[in-house]
Structures are given as structure tokens and as C-alpha cells.
Amino acid sequence: MMSQSDKLNLKEHVASKDKKQRYVNRLFETIAGRYDFFTGFMSYGMDRGWKREMIRMLDLNGDETTLDIACGTGDIAFMTAASLTTGRAVGLDITQAMLDIAERKRVERRIENVCFHRGDIMRMPFADATFDCVTGGYALRNVPEVAGALAEIKRVLKPGGRLLSLDFGHPAKRLYRRAYLRYLTIVGSVVGLMMHGDADTYRYIPETLKLYPGQRGVCQMMQAAGFVDTGFREFGGGIMAINYGTA
């Protein structure tokens, strides 16, 4: 737990393109060891099912080179690798503590067709047209600028390559959306206090969600970035969504 003098102002930092990345970096270094537990807890165990559906939607042949951005502890990269025969899965994350856990899992499970790199989604360390598909679980909501991230994703995708992004959504029904944000705020605050001694730790999610364009906005931004065949699939009445498109 950080001291009050070291604590960054949540609302100030998530609202700033210049300051958000600093906040995200510090946050995920703090929660890395409990990240897997938290995502399962907050989703009532549905998180892995949403991720499996995203992999199913990729409709892989088995020989692809795939990239999972903001890969965290590696769940999506490992799921993708399980569908690859001669292909390989790459995971990218800016947080070293997350990558350490992902690499430990890889070694323990003896998975050979996955590798992890440390890097920034906004400036990825890969050549143009490297990947057949890019996935992201809770990735776009955490970047300083969604449009810039989409442009960088499109750059590393091969022509005809696909992007699938799973993230919290904006339910179309206003009252449902308000109740959902309230739930995330209350539960996130309580869990943050219990697990880290800081209510802001998981209150970060609803605060970023307020500023995130949601599934409909992301769909429009993907089209503006040059993606085609765009759309989204919703879960739970729109509280979660998978955005998709083709480069």
C-alpha cells in the first residue's frame, strides 16, 4: 500500500492523456499478484468464458502469428496458443510484474508457442504487417488515446488481419448503465480497501469507463481508423462487449 503522499489523484490522471499512462503503470504493478483473482471475482467467474468466446470468434486455422495487447498474466495468449499448431502467440504488456507472472505460467505449463514482450501499445516494438490477428482483454479502455492505439494496431496487422477487443461496455438502457456503474464503484471501493488498503485501486474501472467510448463508440473509431467489417457482440445486456474489425 502506498502512502498518502505518494498517491496519485484518480480522476485527474485518468482524464489526462499525458498523465493516464503513469497512473496505469503504477496501478497494475500494485495489483499484478491479485489480478487473476479479481477479474474472476468481479465477473462472477464469467471472464474466462468471454475470453474463450473471443478466441472462438477468431476462427483460427492454426498457422497464424497472433498478438495479445495488454496481455497481463497471459490468459488470452495461452488460450490462443492452444488453438495454434504451427503458429505462435505473442503477448505484450507494459507492466513487468504482470509479465513475470505470465512467463512463470508459461514455464510451469511448458508452453512453447507463446512468448512475451514488454512494450507500450501506443508504440509497439514490431514491424508493420507482422500479425494475422490482434486481441485485447480490457486493453483499449486503459490506453491514453483510443484512436492512436487503433492506428498502431492497424499498423502491425497484416492486410486482412483481424482485431478483437473485449472490454467493459456501455449498456444502451440508461438506468441499467447508471446502476451498473454504481455497482462497480461500490464493490470496487470495498474490494480495493480490503485487498490493497485503497478504495481507488478498483474504483479506477468505473472512472475509466465513464470516459471510454464504449462498444458503439469504439466501432465508429475503428471505422475511422480504416477497419472494415466492424461490429460488436454484447454480453449481459451490454455490460461487456467484444468489438471486432478487419484491417
Side-chain angles (χ1 to χ4, degrees), residues 73-99:
T73 60
D75 274 0
I76 295 172
F78 294 133
M79 289 180 186
T80 306
S83 298
L84 300 174
T85 50
T86 58
R88 67 187 181 100
V90 178
L92 178 78
D93 204 287
I94 202 168
T95 306
Q96 188 60 49
M98 290 286 196
L99 293 173

Side-chain angles (χ1 to χ4, degrees), residues 64-67 88 90 124-134 152-159:
E64 293 89 351
T65 301
T66 71
L67 171 66
R88 67 187 181 100
V90 178
M124 290 191 274
F126 307 115
D128 295 359
T130 297
F131 299 99
D132 297 290
C133 58
V134 173
E152 183 68 350
I153 291 167
K154 191 169 186 294
R155 180 187 69 79
V156 302
L157 274 170
K158 296 176 183 178

Side-chain angles (χ1 to χ4, degrees), residues 28 31-39 47-48 51 68-79 91-93 95-107 109 111 114 116 137-138:
F28 283 96
I31 68 173
R34 297 179 177 177
Y35 180 77
D36 288 344
F37 166 79
F38 178 75
T39 53
D47 170 73
R48 291 186 65 82
K51 291 174 179 176
D68 184 49
I69 55 173
C71 67
T73 60
D75 274 0
I76 295 172
F78 294 133
M79 289 180 186
L92 178 78
D93 204 287
T95 306
Q96 188 60 49
M98 290 286 196
L99 293 173
D100 290 343
I101 295 171
E103 178 61 15
R104 185 165 65 246
K105 288 181 181 179
R106 188 195 69 78
V107 172
R109 300 173 188 180
I111 300 173
V114 177
F116 296 102
Y138 318 116

